[in-house]
Amino acid sequence: MRFPIGFAVLVVAGCSQSPAPAGPVASKKVEAPPVMAVKTPEAPAPAPAPAPKVTPINKTPIVVDLSKVKWGQEGDNFGWDDGDMRLHYYSNGLGEFTVKVPADGEYQVVVTASSQPALNEHAKFKVAADGMPVGAETACTAEDAKEYAFVATLAAGDRKISVSFTNDIYKENEYDRNFFLNGLKLVRVK
C-alpha cells in the first residue's frame, strides 16, 4: 500500500498484515503544547519551636548555723563565742557542718573569717565538701571579718562542709596566731 507524501504511517507490530513501505517516509513535526507554570499556594511558615523551659536558679543564700558545729577534735581550743557570735580555733583543727543542699549544681561557698596574726602572718584555712578540697589553702588578709568565696559542685542532699585552721603558732607570753569563723553560707551559681 502506498501513501501520499506528507502522511505518516503508523505501523503497530502485530496489527498490520501488510509490510512496511520501503523508502523514506515523510512525517509531520508535531509540537508539544507549551508548558504552563501552575502557581501553588504557599504553605504557611512552620510555627517556631517553643523555647526550652528554663527553671530559674534559686540564689537565696543557705546560711549555716555555726553553733551546730561538729569539731574534728575536742578541747578548749575550739568553741563558740556567744559575745562575738563566731567560732574560735585556738589551735589547728577542723569544724564540720551538715548543710542541706536543695539541688545539684555549682555553689559558691562563702567563708567569713578573721584572724589574730602572729610573726607577721595571718591565719590560713582550708575548705572541703564531703572531704574533697574546695579551692586552695587561703590566708586571711585582715584581723576584721572578711568574705572569701570558693566554688564547688555539689549534689542535692545533706553535704558535709568543713573549715580547717592550718597554720597555728603559739609561744607563751610572746605570740599566738588564731583563726575565727564568723560566717558560712552557700549560694547557687549554676
Side-chain angles (χ1 to χ4, degrees):
M1 177 183 279
R2 292 186 137 237
F3 296 97
I5 296 179
F7 285 94
V9 176
L10 176 64
V11 177
V12 178
C15 293
S16 172
Q17 295 185 356
S18 59
V25 176
S27 65
K28 183 176 180 184
K29 185 175 179 184
V30 178
E31 292 188 28
V35 177
M36 304 216 22
V38 178
K39 188 171 183 177
T40 56
E42 290 185 26
K53 192 161 192 146
V54 177
T55 305
I57 294 174
N58 183 354
K59 294 187 177 189
T60 304
I62 302 166
V63 179
V64 177
D65 182 355
L66 297 182
S67 68
K68 305 250 189 245
V69 65
K70 177 183 174 192
W71 294 106
Q73 55 288 315
E74 297 203 16
D76 293 335
N77 287 335
F78 309 96
W80 171 254
D81 293 331
D82 279 326
D84 291 325
M85 301 297 288
R86 66 183 185 184
L87 295 176
H88 65 263
Y89 294 64
Y90 294 148
S91 65
N92 288 341
L94 173 143
E96 185 178 75
F97 309 89
T98 300
V99 181
K100 183 91 170 155
V101 174
D104 295 354
E106 273 188 27
Y107 288 81
Q108 200 174 51
V109 180
V110 182
V111 174
T112 305
S114 54
S115 169
Q116 178 182 328
L119 301 177
N120 298 316
E121 187 177 345
H122 282 279
K124 293 181 181 178
F125 65 96
K126 290 182 180 179
V127 177
D130 292 329
M132 301 299 295
V134 175
E137 180 178 60
T138 302
C140 289
T141 58
E143 290 183 47
D144 296 329
K146 289 186 74 178
E147 287 189 343
Y148 304 88
F150 309 89
V151 176
T153 301
L154 302 174
D158 288 342
R159 306 275 63 89
K160 303 289 186 190
I161 307 295
S162 63
V163 180
S164 304
F165 175 33
T166 61
N167 69 332
D168 181 44
I169 191 166
Y170 169 78
K171 186 170 182 184
E172 191 172 352
N173 297 323
E174 289 192 38
Y175 48 82
D176 186 10
R177 184 180 302 131
N178 295 304
F179 174 72
F180 304 100
L181 184 58
N182 303 75
L184 179 62
K185 66 183 175 183
L186 275 64
V187 180
R188 187 165 176 205
V189 291
K190 281 189 182 177

